[in-house]
Amino acid sequence: MKSTKIQLPLQTSSLIAGFMVWVLISSLMPNIRQDINLTDGEVALVTAIPVILGSVLRIPIGYYTNRFGARLIFTISFIALLFPVFYISQADSLTDLVIGGLLIGIGGATFSIGVTSLPKYYPSSKHGFINGIYGSGNIGTAVTAFSAPVLASSFGWVTTVRFYLVLLLAFAVLNFVFGDRKEKKVNLSIVKQVKEVYRNSTLWALCLFYFITFGSFVAFTIYLPNFLVNEFNLTPVDAGLRTAGFIALSTFMRPIGGWMSDKFNPYIILLFVFGGLTFSGVLLSFSPTIEVYTTGVLTVAACAGIGNGTIFKLVPLYFTKQAGIVNGLVAAMGGLGGFFPPLVLTTVFSLTGHYAIGFMALSQFALLSFVIVLMMTFREKLKLENKVLENTAQGMLITNEKGVIERVNQAFTKVTGYEKEEAVGQKPSILQSGRHDQHFYSALWNELKDQGYWQGEIWNKRKNGEVYLQWLTISEVCNDAGNVKYYVGQFSDISESKRKIN
């Protein structure tokens, strides 16, 4: 029991440590450039490189977490990070920074561990909040963004990097000792899991959403320190403090987004998220002052944080058995979302002399996501309506305004004997028993047109020819102009009850 309760704080603090290492190079870049001569393009490449492995590795790490548990995967990850961190402390060239930066991407990949492991310990009603708390571990990027430049000013950037070796060893030991040895394992073939989900449109929609929200978070985290120094002539420490503020706000909003998605419709929340990102992208495109730029960046932070928390509420909601691989895929796309923007912004600036087009791209991608969320909201509504129809105990049929059957439910088939394929496209007259004359049906339709509904007893016939007594209700469904678009019939077999009364 104690091992179970400690998993949330243990894994969240482990994510903090992993993310602290992940942004080590970008946070120290102004200091590193004093010793290693790098062009702006090379800086953009070096700061973006850790995102590559940090993204790609999220897929297998999510899968192997499901198979072997968080304890083993966290321990291995922290031990593996020792080499690139030490290697970076010895770097004296662009090549060294690229190699070391690529491998410290493992720190970012640790994100897949907790989002796969922690939902196993809690009911689904709390998954959004729990994953939000775990995701707040990205505050580790703020810790490094603020503290690394401060430490570097006192001890030098080389010694500062080596401090992180102690951190990694400590968390490797903590996970080995306190990690849950009895975590529930899911041993399904990775190929089988991919086959089960890769055609699911919801998966790719979630990938796009996280590409935008977490990608924005990562991109601004790694780009802001150097950007603020060059664009607004801030000191490295001041730039690090402002970057830490961005990270802190986004991190604080993440569990709030998870909590909100537990309480309210996640798709409605995402509409506000992408609406806000669309606005902020436009604002950043025309922000000549540090004050306006700060407003736009903080809006990105708030929206990205809420969106990050909301999206990982939806993953376990739609994918249970394949949670490991899906968490990995979605998380990987989020990481890659942070890789491209710094390179795009640098390229755009070198060609045009400003960043407007790059920030406008964020706005357009967010607007596209807004439209997709609208479509998914409508689709979810249709799914719910279909479930209501299928799970209704009474037989139901829906016809168009001309009386042609368009939908029936399972109870319809159970009562009448007609399968869906046999009924759709026909008229309800296929059920007529022959016991009622034309006057009966004329009176039925006249009352239906006058009052908008008709209900009463009616003799109908099953597919096998058996005549039975129904209690039938027919209702009109009109559009906003008052024109009839559908007729809905609900009925139940009352033959048996009638016999008992008689």
Side-chain angles (χ1 to χ4, degrees):
M1 182 62 71
K2 291 182 179 179
S3 175
T4 298
K5 289 183 178 180
I6 202 176
Q7 294 314 301
L8 180 58
L10 175 63
Q11 294 189 32
T12 302
S13 58
S14 296
L15 182 64
I16 293 174
F19 271 41
M20 285 176 65
V21 174
W22 195 25
V23 296
L24 193 54
I25 291 180
S26 60
S27 300
L28 290 172
M29 183 50 65
N31 305 88
I32 294 174
R33 292 186 77 175
Q34 296 175 8
D35 293 335
I36 303 176
N37 187 29
L38 300 171
T39 66
D40 288 341
E42 289 171 342
V43 168
L45 175 64
V46 170
T47 54
I49 279 292
V51 178
I52 297 178
L53 199 63
S55 303
V56 175
L57 269 185
R58 289 182 174 194
I59 300 173
I61 280 183
Y63 168 74
Y64 284 113
T65 297
N66 237 0
R67 186 170 182 180
F68 298 111
R71 172 179 174 267
L72 179 63
I73 305 303
F74 261 129
T75 301
I76 292 174
S77 297
F78 286 126
I79 292 174
L81 279 167
L82 291 171
F83 168 74
V85 170
F86 180 76
Y87 187 81
I88 290 170
S89 72
Q90 305 279 3
D92 59 7
S93 67
L94 171 65
T95 302
D96 291 337
L97 292 174
V98 169
I99 295 173
L102 177 65
L103 295 179
I104 66 168
I106 297 171
T110 57
F111 176 79
S112 289
I113 302 175
V115 292
T116 301
S117 171
L118 289 173
K120 300 174 184 177
Y121 299 97
Y122 299 90
S124 59
S125 60
K126 294 184 177 181
H127 283 175
F129 184 58
I130 294 302
N131 274 337
I133 291 177
Y134 173 74
S136 66
N138 59 29
I139 193 70
T141 55
V143 175
T144 292
F146 171 69
S147 63
V150 175
L151 291 172
S153 64
S154 300
F155 301 99
W157 70 268
V158 172
T159 302
T160 299
V161 171
R162 291 176 181 172
F163 284 153
Y164 282 75
L165 296 172
V166 179
L167 177 76
L168 292 171
L169 283 171
F171 273 92
V173 173
L174 284 172
N175 278 277
F176 183 78
V177 174
F178 297 106
D180 186 8
R181 291 172 168 81
K182 298 180 180 179
E183 178 182 331
K184 182 181 178 182
K185 311 297 194 303
V186 179
N187 190 13
L188 292 177
S189 164
I190 189 171
V191 175
K192 181 179 180 181
Q193 289 188 53
V194 170
K195 286 183 177 179
E196 289 176 347
V197 301
Y198 81 96
R199 292 183 178 178
N200 191 317
S201 60
T202 299
L203 165 64
W204 300 113
L206 294 177
C207 285
L208 172 63
F209 299 160
Y210 205 58
F211 182 91
I212 301 298
T213 59
F214 189 72
S216 299
F217 169 78
V218 174
F220 278 88
T221 296
I222 65 178
Y223 199 66
L224 277 177
N226 199 60
F227 175 81
L228 292 174
V229 170
N230 293 337
E231 188 72 9
F232 296 106
N233 298 317
L234 301 181
T235 66
V237 173
D238 191 11
L241 182 61
R242 289 174 180 268
T243 302
F246 167 86
I247 297 168
L249 176 60
S250 184
T251 300
F252 176 75
M253 298 305 295
R254 184 161 190 152
I256 292 179
W259 175 82
M260 290 170 63
S261 65
D262 285 334
K263 300 295 182 182
F264 309 105
N265 187 335
Y267 290 111
I268 300 301
I269 297 172
L270 288 178
L271 288 175
F272 283 99
V273 165
F274 291 118
L277 287 174
T278 301
F279 164 78
S280 60
V282 174
L283 186 63
L284 289 171
S285 299
F286 304 98
S287 55
T289 66
I290 185 66
E291 292 79 14
V292 177
Y293 188 83
T294 298
T295 301
V297 168
L298 292 180
T299 303
V300 171
C303 292
I306 293 174
N308 291 338
T310 301
I311 291 167
F312 274 93
K313 163 68 177 182
L314 293 172
V315 171
L317 192 65
Y318 285 101
F319 307 95
T320 303
K321 294 181 179 179
Q322 310 90 0
I325 195 70
V326 173
N327 278 321
L329 284 167
V330 174
M333 291 302 295
L336 289 175
F339 173 73
F340 295 104
L343 300 179
V344 172
L345 285 171
T346 301
T347 302
V348 166
F349 184 79
S350 65
L351 294 175
T352 66
H354 53 77
Y355 298 95
I357 296 177
F359 288 125
M360 190 61 74
L362 166 64
S363 176
Q364 297 308 304
F365 272 100
L367 183 59
L368 172 63
S369 298
F370 182 90
V371 173
I372 293 175
V373 173
L374 278 177
M375 295 171 59
M376 293 180 70
T377 304
F378 180 69
R379 187 181 68 180
E380 285 298 306
K381 184 178 180 181
L382 288 179
K383 283 184 177 180
L384 180 60
E385 291 174 352
N386 289 337
K387 287 182 179 179
V388 171
L389 175 64
E390 290 300 326
N391 293 314
T392 300
Q394 289 184 311
M396 290 187 66
L397 71 157
I398 300 173
T399 75
N400 60 22
E401 71 276 14
K402 296 180 180 180
V404 177
I405 298 174
E406 293 190 352
R407 293 286 304 277
V408 297
N409 66 352
Q410 294 178 357
F412 173 93
T413 300
K414 184 177 180 180
V415 174
T416 67
Y418 286 97
E419 296 291 339
K420 173 184 176 181
E421 294 76 13
E422 297 173 307
V424 173
Q426 301 293 326
K427 289 194 172 184
S429 57
I430 62 172
L431 304 175
Q432 289 183 5
S433 64
R435 291 196 177 189
H436 302 288
D437 57 19
Q438 190 59 42
H439 175 73
F440 173 86
Y441 291 108
S442 296
L444 183 157
W445 280 103
N446 287 334
E447 184 175 336
L448 178 61
K449 290 178 181 179
D450 290 340
Q451 300 186 15
Y453 73 94
W454 179 92
Q455 61 180 0
E457 295 181 355
I458 185 172
W459 290 95
N460 270 336
K461 183 173 63 176
R462 307 187 209 275
K463 179 182 177 181
N464 62 9
E466 178 186 355
V467 176
Y468 67 102
L469 187 61
Q470 264 186 13
W471 178 263
L472 173 64
T473 300
I474 306 175
S475 304
E476 292 180 346
V477 178
C478 301
N479 60 16
D480 292 339
N483 300 320
V484 176
K485 299 299 294 182
Y486 301 101
Y487 293 102
V488 179
Q490 293 178 268
F491 60 89
S492 55
D493 184 352
I494 61 173
S495 303
E496 188 64 27
S497 60
K498 278 289 185 179
R499 279 196 294 269
K500 289 180 179 178
I501 294 174
N502 297 331

